[in-house]
Every structure is written in C-alpha cells, then in structure tokens.
Amino acid sequence: MIMKKQLLLIALPLFGYISHYAQNSADIIQSLKKLNTVGSVLYVAAHPDDENTRLLGYLANEKKFRTGYLSLTRGDGGQNLIGKEQGEPLGLIRTQELLAARRIDGAEQFFTRANDFGYSKTPEETFTFWNKDSILADVVLTIRRFKPDVIICRFPTTGEGGHGHHTASAMLAVEAFDAAADPKRFPEQLKSVQVWQAKRIFWNTFNFGTTNTTAPNQLKIDVGVFNPLLGKSYGEIAAESRSCHKSQGFGSAKQRGSNIEYFKLLKGDSVATDLFEGINTTWAKFKGQDKIQKLIDDCIKKYNPQSPENSVTDLVAIYKQIQALDESNENLRYWKKQKLKETESLLLACSGLWLEASTSDYIGITGQDVAITTQIVNRNKSDVKLNSVSYLNSDTTTALTLKSNELYTFKRKEKLSNSLSFSNPYWLNQKHDIGLYTVTNPNLIGRPENESNTKVGFNISILDLNLKIERPLVYKFTDPVKGEIYRPFEILPPATVNIPEKVFVFTDATPKTISITIKANAANTNGTLQLKGSTSWSITIKNPEFKLANKGDEAIIEATIVADKNAKDGQLQASVLINSIAYNKSIKRIEYDHIPYQFILSDAEAGLVNIDLKKTGTNIGYIPGAGDDVPACLKQIGYSVTVLTDELLSNGNLSQFNAIVSGVRAYNTNDRLQVHYTKLMEYVKNGGNLIVQYNTNNRIGPVKANIGPFPFTISRDRITDEKASVVFNNEKHSALNFPNQITQKDFDGWIQERGIYFATEIDKQYETIFSMKDPNEKASDGSLIIGKYGKGNFVYTGLVFFRELPAGIPGAYRLFVNLLSLPENK
C-alpha cells in the first residue's frame, strides 16, 4: 500500500460525478430543516420536460418535502434540436437532462417501462402501444415505494393536455391512487413493498397558450417566493432546471415575483388552503418521536455556518436516535431509512469529509486488473478515523486518525470479477417492443439509471459512530479548456465491433463494400471477425484476422455483400472471436457538454434491404438542419452528396446540383438561410429542385427565413398513425410516377408516424399530392406540396423521411428519389 499526504486542491466536477453531500452552509441549513420534515409528494406526467419545475423546486426546497417526478417515458419519440440521435439514444440524452434538472430543483426522478413511441392524439391510441396493466403496475410500484402523502398530475384525464400520452399519464395516476392501496392489485409486488394510500390526488391546472384550465375556485399557492438561503426565487430555479432540456430547445427566462399555481382535487380528502392540509409532516406524526424533533430543532438553533463541525456531536446523537427507531411500523421504517441517509450526508458535510475512488482509465475488462486510487480528506476539525477501506475483492485495515485538511491517498490494484455485467443502461439490455421496455429484474423498474457495480467502501468513525460510505469508481482527467472532468467507469468487452449503418440498402446486384470497425478495449487483443447474413445474401471478408497491440487501437476490416437475385430483406450480424469466446456488442457513444458521458452497448447487427429503385441524376446538395441521417442514406443508393456550408451557399455554383435538400428544422436553426433565400429561389427558377423537410413554427422553433416561392404556413398538423391510409390527390403527378411508380404498397411498413408539421394556408400555385388523416379526424392535404417556379420545383414535406430512410423503408426511398428527380418545367 502507498499512502501520501498532501494539501488539498479541489474543483467541483463539471459533470459526470455528483456529490453525495451538501457543499456549503446554506445547503446544510436547508438539509437540516428538511431532516425535520416527514412528508412526500409525487408529481406524475408523461415525458421529460412535462414537469412543472417551479412547483417541484418550491415543494422540495421551500416546503422541504421529499419530492419526486415520475415521467412515464424517457422521451425517445421526440425530436432532437442538438444532434442526430433519435429513439433510444435520444431517450438516454433526455434521461440525463432530467437528472440534471432534478439536481437543480431538488426533486428525485423516476420512470416506468413505457417507451415513447411518438406523438399520440388519444389515450386510446396510446394504450394500443403501451400494455396498460404493465405501465399501471409500474406507477403503483413507484407509489408503494415512494409513499407520497400527495400525488399531483400535470395533465387532466379529460384531454385538455392534448397529447394522448399526457391524458394517459393522468388516467394511470388516478387509477394507481386506489390500486396502490389494494392488496389484490399487483400482489406480486408485496414481496418487497407494502400497500400505500396517498391522502389525495390533484391536477395541477394550467394556462397554456389558448387553453386556460385554471379557475378562481381552485386551490391556489404562490410558488414565486424568494429563498434567501439559496439566493434565488423558485421562478429563477425553475428556469435553470427547465433549461437543462437542451435537446428539446427549452431554454427558459428566469421569472421573479409572485407566481400562482392552481390545483383541482381529483380524489381524496377535500382541502381549502393547502395541498397538505390536515397531514402531519413532522416527527410528531409518529407516537413518542418528539425527541427527534427537539434534537433537530436544537441542532438548527446552534448551527454556526462558520464552524459547521460544531454540529457533528448533535448530528451523531440524531443519527443514533433515528437508528434506534422501532421498525414494526412500515411507514416509520420507510422514514427511518430515508432520514438515516440524510443525516449521514449532513455528517459528511459538517465534518468536511471528502472521499473518492478513481481509476487510471475509464474502461475496465472483467478478469483484468484495475488501478484504483482512493482519497480521503477531513477538511474541518472533526474527530474522524478511517478504520478500513473495502475494495472490490478485499479489505485493507488502516486505523488512521485523519488530521485536519490533509489529503490521504491510497493506491491499489484489484482484479475485476468475471461475473461483472457489461455497463449499459439497464432498460436497453434486451430488445423490446414498440411500447414497453423489457426489464426482467423488478428491483430496477423505476430507477432513472444504473447503480455502479464497482464501488469502494470507506469504513469510518465520526466520534463513536461507525459508518460505511460507498463511492463508485470514477475516472477523472483535466481538459485544458474545461478543467477537471469526471466520467463513469465502464465495464466493456475486450473489443467492440461496429457496423457503419443500421440498414444497408441495395438496388441491384452490384457488390457493396462495407467497413467494419473493431476497437480494442484492452491491450494485445487478437481475434477474428465473423459475419453472418440471411439467406440470399453473400458475404465475403477480405481478411478477418486482427491484431491490436494497444488499448484503443482500431482495425478496419472490409467485407463485400452481394444481394442475390430477388433477395428478400434480411440481417447482417457481426461478432469477434477472441480466445475462443465470441463477443457481439457494438458501442454508440454520446458526448455532449451538458450531460455525463453516455454510451449504449447493443448487438452488432444491421438490416439488409433490397429495393426496386430507379433514380436519375447524381449530385445532391444538402443544407444541414438540427441533425439527421438523410445524407448517408442518399449516399447508400449512389448519390454524391455535398454538404452546403454557408460559404458554399454564398459563393458556390448551385447549378451543379440536380437537387438541393434542407435537413430537418434547417429554417429553425439557421438564420443565414434568409440571406440565401434569393439565391435558392434563383436555383429553382433556373431548373433546380429544392426539397425542404419539416420545420416547426412556434416559440421553441420559429422559422428564421422565407422558405418557398409562394406563401404557405407551417402548422402543428400531423398524422400519428403510421398505418394511416393515403389518398393520392393527383395520380398522374410526376412525383408519383417518375422514375418510380408510387402505389399504396409504398406506404407499407412506415414507422412511428406518417408526418409532422404539415403545410396549411397553402397558396393555389402549390399542388397537394396526398390527403391523409388519423382515425376520426379531418383529412389534411399538407403533407407534401409542390410548386412549379420557373423551370424548377419547390417542395415542402412534413413526411418523416428522416425516420423512414434510416429504417430502410423501401417506399420512402422510392418517393424521395422521385422528389429529387422532378423534371424541369417547359
């Protein structure tokens, strides 16, 4: 063992590692007051960013309640304003954005297994994708675990919330309010939790746009108050919290001054003035526990912000008093566990204790050694001993009295157990259907993310109180611009194998050469690439052997795929054979400054699609938008795609392009397109085709430039049923006939939806190509409009090509190629 002493220099981490205890005296005072509050409230809605952050901050910090937000989904089906990620990767980003928001407003975060499959207009449609009983079971489980006195819904059961998921979230919450208290409902849960009856459930009514559901006779609370300890009002805290939802473009202005929230009682005891009216939220609610209340009150009165260590003796006494509580009362047992954690955090904060376990690398391989550095420092003048350190496989006795403000460092090598699972978001470990994630371990259901499976325990004594403080292994490094950065420690296979596309599209028997990337996560990784294809697909690997000497090295191996004549759609599977063990995981890393480092391990596989496709022209210009994979899809079918930068749009010769395509939300994200409007219209007028994919037109995504040669308005109209029937308004239009004849079959197999943000108030010089509608709704003609302008053609489309092309949907390719190939006008 190596032990070093040195002076401490600490910078708070930018992200990726969250402190387990309060950092300053204001936080300590807040936490002491919270220690004396034994009440809880659960907020329920459907998605990340649905939550009322102002109310959450008020309940958690002003009222000191244990406050939770249950988001039924992780937001996988939304749009992404900051990158290309869609589906599961977007859900992972939005999960982390929610966790960042909770760290600001002080609430806790929970989820169900519901998958956000995309926009839904009714709860009935929502429940055709979600297994209602499964999601209801998850809501009930969260209530039974969290034991809220009060439940609050963001949306009503009657549909004013608009989105079908919104209404469904309220319906599930109201049903769960009763079901959680019924031992006959989901009795399998009662092995680990007890039934629970919340006192009441409210709807937090709202005034959004033209929909005002508030009323003078509703319960009203002013949540715009100022917290002098935090130095902010809850309107300011809410803006900081809500602005964490960067992928949704939800940056918010700080609000100051009075702000009234309204509540309508849905079930439970009626109230007149307060959500918790008639509910005792002090320790006195438990018979004979007045002493704890008094001990905490005394500790608060005596607290000295200049010398927090003076409160350690009182906190030890409080800890012991709570530790001695009788556990025969289920509710008392729940609060005992919760308040012991809070008191432990306060003890660490007042003692000034800082503990950390870091590694020399962010990747670990099972069966191999990992170098661990543990550090501890007692920054205040507290009586603290380090008795031992529990590493991954062994304990080390130290019996060390910690001197004030000296940093102790221990270095050790440990072997990672072969039984450790690979790191991965737990809800993505198995394949799932469109509406529900597969989670086989019921203990994981509801958790926002994985707990670390590699922890170090510090066995310490504060005065005569023995505690075991666990810290996850983390990796930290210093970035020359951002400073000290933390990232989670990852358990990965010896090598990952990445296929460059999700789907490979073939239009004939021409061989397609693909490059498979193998990355070593350990030194001296040697093996063989294995590829397996479906029947009627021939696969040849040029040289399957690889030898990677260093950790992080990559091998790029080429393989050739040929579609046999009349080959049916199939699948390509990849694995690497290393020391007679096959590993088949690919890795997708997600790196943004506002969230911790994230990644997804998934099976290394890709679709193989054979499309009957004709095309004309070769050169396409692409104006990037918020992010999509359409350019890569066009390259797969033989187009040469040039990304049109501002420089090229200003000075380049656009006439070289057979068509120009703007990426999704390009006119929302690029205000320079207003400058280029005239040149783009000249391009169309001279014979070019300009295809504009969907944009939004609202506060979050205002249109920043003129778009077409003739006026139209972008609406919120959408078709959410991906199987909705499509009527051809003009079957003779070239968009439906050249070079590919479009039929109803071309709309088979579409995913998630038909289209979004359709055109409306359409000038008569545009032709509408399709009419479509969701069940029980009026048909819309704005999914695809085409206007002849000079020799060329302008197209606006809300059809979701950005989803369908990467998914390999044949009809979407055929229709999109037709738009690129619209003939010149005479």
Side-chain angles (χ1 to χ4, degrees):
M1 185 196 329
I2 300 173
M3 183 177 75
K4 296 180 181 177
K5 298 180 185 177
Q6 61 192 61
L7 292 176
L8 174 67
L9 295 172
I10 291 180
L12 290 179
L14 295 178
F15 50 76
Y17 173 74
I18 307 307
S19 174
H20 293 263
Y21 49 88
Q23 292 294 318
N24 56 51
S25 282
D27 290 333
I28 291 172
I29 286 287
Q30 281 282 117
S31 298
L32 280 169
K33 292 181 177 180
K34 196 177 186 90
L35 194 60
N36 235 351
T37 305
V38 284
S40 58
V41 55
L42 182 66
Y43 202 85
V44 181
H47 310 107
D49 72 38
D50 283 346
E51 75 275 21
N52 184 336
T53 53
R54 183 170 49 238
L55 179 60
L56 291 180
Y58 172 84
L59 293 169
N61 297 285
E62 188 68 22
K63 304 301 290 184
K64 311 295 189 299
F65 297 133
R66 188 182 183 199
T67 305
Y69 173 45
L70 174 60
S71 175
L72 298 193
T73 77
R74 297 176 184 268
D76 312 59
Q79 279 84 52
N80 184 358
L81 202 63
I82 61 173
K84 297 180 180 180
E85 295 85 2
Q86 296 292 331
E88 294 171 351
L90 178 58
L92 188 56
I93 291 171
R94 297 186 73 182
T95 293
Q96 291 299 322
E97 290 176 340
L98 266 181
L99 290 172
R102 296 296 79 80
R103 290 191 287 272
I104 291 171
D105 59 40
E108 300 173 54
Q109 186 62 52
F110 307 100
F111 294 95
T112 74
R113 289 170 291 168
N115 181 32
D116 180 357
F117 54 83
Y119 191 89
S120 169
K121 294 183 177 178
T122 67
E124 291 77 19
E125 180 188 14
T126 297
F127 288 131
T128 63
F129 292 96
W130 292 351
N131 182 315
K132 182 183 176 183
D133 278 352
S134 296
I135 308 306
L136 177 61
D138 292 358
V139 179
V140 167
L141 181 61
T142 301
I143 292 172
R144 287 171 172 175
R145 281 178 179 163
F146 194 72
K147 299 187 182 302
D149 297 297
V150 172
I151 300 172
I152 303 173
C153 300
R154 168 77 284 189
F155 302 105
T157 61
T158 45
E160 291 91 335
H163 200 315
H165 296 182
H166 293 170
T167 306
S169 72
M171 294 169 67
L172 289 166
V174 171
E175 186 172 350
F177 175 81
D178 294 322
D182 186 350
K184 295 180 182 178
R185 302 295 301 274
F186 311 108
E188 69 281 359
Q189 296 179 359
L190 301 182
K191 296 175 183 177
S192 59
V193 295
Q194 301 297 314
V195 295
W196 179 255
Q197 180 62 71
K199 299 299 187 296
R200 52 188 72 107
I201 182 170
F202 293 93
W203 165 29
N204 178 198
T205 59
F206 49 77
N207 185 357
F208 295 157
T210 60
T211 304
N212 184 3
T213 61
T214 64
N217 63 347
Q218 293 172 356
L219 176 66
K220 295 179 280 293
I221 300 175
D222 185 356
V223 300
V225 296
F226 176 74
N227 187 318
L229 282 174
L230 301 179
K232 300 173 185 177
S233 70
Y234 294 107
E236 293 170 292
I237 292 171
E240 292 176 7
S241 173
R242 192 156 185 77
S243 295
C244 290
H245 296 295
K246 298 185 188 304
S247 67
Q248 304 307 295
F250 270 29
S252 300
K254 295 181 179 180
Q255 297 181 354
R256 298 168 180 88
S258 176
N259 206 299
I260 306 300
E261 291 290 342
Y262 293 78
F263 303 88
K264 181 178 180 180
L265 183 69
L266 300 179
K267 277 190 174 185
D269 303 337
S270 61
V271 296
T273 60
D274 190 78
L275 295 169
F276 278 73
E277 191 172 306
I279 301 174
N280 191 341
T281 59
T282 70
W283 283 101
K285 73 190 293 182
F286 301 113
K287 185 177 179 180
Q289 303 310 324
D290 295 347
K291 184 176 181 180
I292 294 176
Q293 190 91 19
K294 185 177 183 306
L295 285 171
I296 298 171
D297 285 339
D298 290 344
C299 186
I300 293 171
K301 289 176 185 177
K302 293 189 293 182
Y303 178 72
N304 181 352
Q306 296 295 326
S307 301
E309 67 272 18
N310 293 347
S311 296
V312 169
T313 300
D314 288 341
L315 285 168
V316 168
I318 292 168
Y319 190 97
K320 290 180 177 179
Q321 192 70 29
I322 297 173
Q323 193 176 39
L325 290 175
D326 181 16
E327 295 195 359
S328 59
N329 181 317
E330 165 63 22
N331 195 21
L332 182 57
R333 183 164 69 247
Y334 163 82
W335 282 111
K336 173 182 177 179
K337 181 179 179 181
Q338 181 65 23
K339 295 304 178 180
L340 283 176
K341 288 192 296 184
E342 292 178 23
T343 310
E344 179 184 285
S345 295
L346 279 164
L347 278 165
L348 297 182
C350 289
S351 300
L353 270 179
W354 183 85
L355 314 94
E356 183 177 85
S358 61
T359 60
S360 58
D361 196 342
Y362 62 88
I363 294 175
I365 308 297
T366 59
Q368 296 189 13
D369 287 343
V370 58
I372 300 174
T373 299
T374 53
Q375 293 183 314
I376 184 169
V377 62
N378 175 18
R379 291 177 285 184
N380 286 334
K381 299 173 183 178
S382 303
D383 181 4
V384 182
K385 294 183 179 66
L386 177 63
N387 302 314
S388 64
V389 180
S390 299
Y391 291 94
L392 305 181
N393 305 309
S394 61
D395 291 351
T396 299
T397 302
T398 57
L400 182 67
T401 298
L402 301 182
K403 294 182 180 180
S404 177
N405 207 31
E406 290 196 10
L407 179 66
Y408 295 83
T409 299
F410 307 87
K411 293 184 180 292
R412 188 178 182 85
K413 281 191 176 181
E414 289 273 315
K415 190 176 292 294
L416 293 172
S417 171
N418 287 314
S419 64
L420 286 173
S421 300
F422 296 143
S423 303
N424 206 39
Y426 72 85
W427 64 96
L428 299 180
N429 277 330
Q430 298 185 51
K431 293 182 180 179
H432 59 87
D433 62 30
I434 190 172
L436 187 71
Y437 285 116
T438 301
V439 182
T440 55
N441 182 351
N443 294 324
L444 294 176
I445 294 173
R447 292 184 183 179
E449 60 182 343
N450 302 47
E451 287 189 5
S452 172
N453 59 356
T454 51
K455 296 180 181 179
V456 171
F458 295 81
N459 301 295
I460 65 172
S461 295
I462 300 178
L463 299 179
D464 62 344
L465 178 65
N466 295 325
L467 297 172
K468 182 175 182 179
I469 311 299
E470 290 189 326
R471 290 289 182 262
L473 288 182
V474 294
Y475 172 71
K476 64 179 180 179
F477 63 100
T478 303
D479 181 277
V481 175
K482 300 172 184 176
E484 187 173 67
I485 295 179
Y486 285 76
R487 66 184 295 166
F489 180 61
E490 308 167 0
I491 305 296
L492 296 181
T496 51
V497 51
N498 276 34
I499 303 173
E501 304 291 345
K502 293 180 181 178
V503 176
F504 291 102
V505 176
F506 291 75
T507 60
D508 53 35
T510 302
K512 189 183 290 286
T513 299
I514 65 172
S515 297
I516 308 294
T517 301
I518 300 165
K519 185 164 187 174
N521 296 316
N524 300 315
T525 300
N526 305 324
T528 305
L529 171 65
Q530 301 178 132
L531 296 178
K532 180 182 178 183
S534 300
T535 305
S536 300
W537 296 85
S538 302
I539 301 173
T540 305
I541 306 175
K542 186 174 182 180
N543 182 6
E545 309 297 326
F546 61 89
K547 292 184 178 181
L548 301 173
N550 303 305
K551 191 172 192 174
D553 284 355
E554 292 183 354
I556 297 177
I557 297 179
E558 291 188 347
T560 301
I561 307 176
V562 180
D564 296 349
K565 188 176 181 180
N566 301 320
K568 294 182 178 180
D569 294 350
Q571 191 175 65
L572 172 68
Q573 296 175 326
S575 63
V576 288
L577 192 66
I578 301 171
N579 296 328
S580 302
I581 300 175
Y583 299 93
N584 70 334
K585 295 301 180 184
S586 67
I587 189 166
K588 178 177 178 60
R589 293 198 176 274
I590 301 170
E591 298 182 7
Y592 290 100
D593 282 353
H594 70 295
I595 61 173
Y597 288 87
Q598 300 294 305
F599 67 91
I600 299 173
L601 287 179
S602 57
D603 291 347
E605 57 189 28
L608 299 172
V609 177
N610 193 17
I611 300 178
D612 177 14
L613 181 71
K614 302 178 182 68
K615 71 181 187 69
T616 63
T618 56
N619 294 324
I620 305 296
Y622 204 87
I623 303 172
D628 59 69
D629 288 322
V630 172
C633 297
L634 297 180
K635 290 177 183 179
Q636 278 214 58
I637 56 175
Y639 284 107
S640 173
V641 180
T642 301
V643 174
L644 296 180
T645 62
D646 187 66
E647 172 67 22
L648 287 175
L649 284 170
S650 297
N651 302 314
N653 177 15
L654 301 186
S655 65
Q656 64 181 299
F657 300 113
N658 303 107
I660 293 175
V661 181
S662 69
V664 299
R665 288 186 173 184
Y667 287 83
N668 298 138
T669 59
N670 187 352
D671 55 11
R672 291 285 297 170
L673 290 181
Q674 178 63 48
V675 176
H676 302 306
Y677 172 76
T678 301
K679 187 170 183 178
L680 287 170
M681 290 302 103
E682 282 296 315
Y683 164 77
V684 176
K685 191 174 182 179
N686 291 330
N689 292 326
L690 175 61
I691 295 92
V692 175
Q693 298 183 83
Y694 94 88
N695 288 265
T696 63
N697 192 15
N698 52 38
R699 181 190 70 81
I700 297 172
V703 174
K704 297 184 177 182
N706 292 328
I707 298 180
F710 317 115
F712 67 94
T713 300
I714 297 173
S715 73
R716 294 184 63 84
D717 292 350
R718 60 175 70 207
I719 303 298
T720 63
D721 182 358
E722 68 271 26
K723 298 178 182 179
S725 61
V726 178
V727 176
F728 294 8
N729 292 342
N730 181 359
E731 294 185 349
K732 294 183 179 180
H733 196 284
S734 59
L736 302 178
N737 292 279
F738 178 78
N740 303 286
Q741 186 173 5
I742 303 301
T743 68
Q744 290 293 335
K745 186 178 179 181
D746 287 299
F747 289 91
D748 291 346
W750 283 47
I751 63 170
Q752 188 161 321
E753 56 206 348
R754 288 290 193 209
I756 54 180
Y757 300 105
F758 288 0
T760 189
E761 300 177 359
I762 303 166
D763 189 271
K764 64 182 181 180
Q765 296 185 77
Y766 289 109
E767 293 183 72
T768 61
I769 307 304
F770 300 121
S771 177
M772 56 186 74
K773 67 185 184 71
D774 276 324
N776 304 315
E777 290 196 353
K778 181 181 177 182
S780 172
D781 291 338
S783 65
L784 176 61
I785 62 172
I786 300 176
K788 295 179 180 180
Y789 184 63
K791 294 181 180 180
N793 301 278
F794 171 84
V795 177
Y796 175 82
T797 180
L799 295 173
V800 286
F801 291 108
F802 74 100
R803 296 195 195 280
E804 310 307 324
L805 297 183
I809 306 303
Y813 272 95
R814 288 161 50 82
L815 178 58
F816 202 81
V817 166
N818 281 15
L819 299 179
L820 299 175
S821 307
L822 290 170
E824 282 193 10
N825 305 312
K826 296 180 180 179

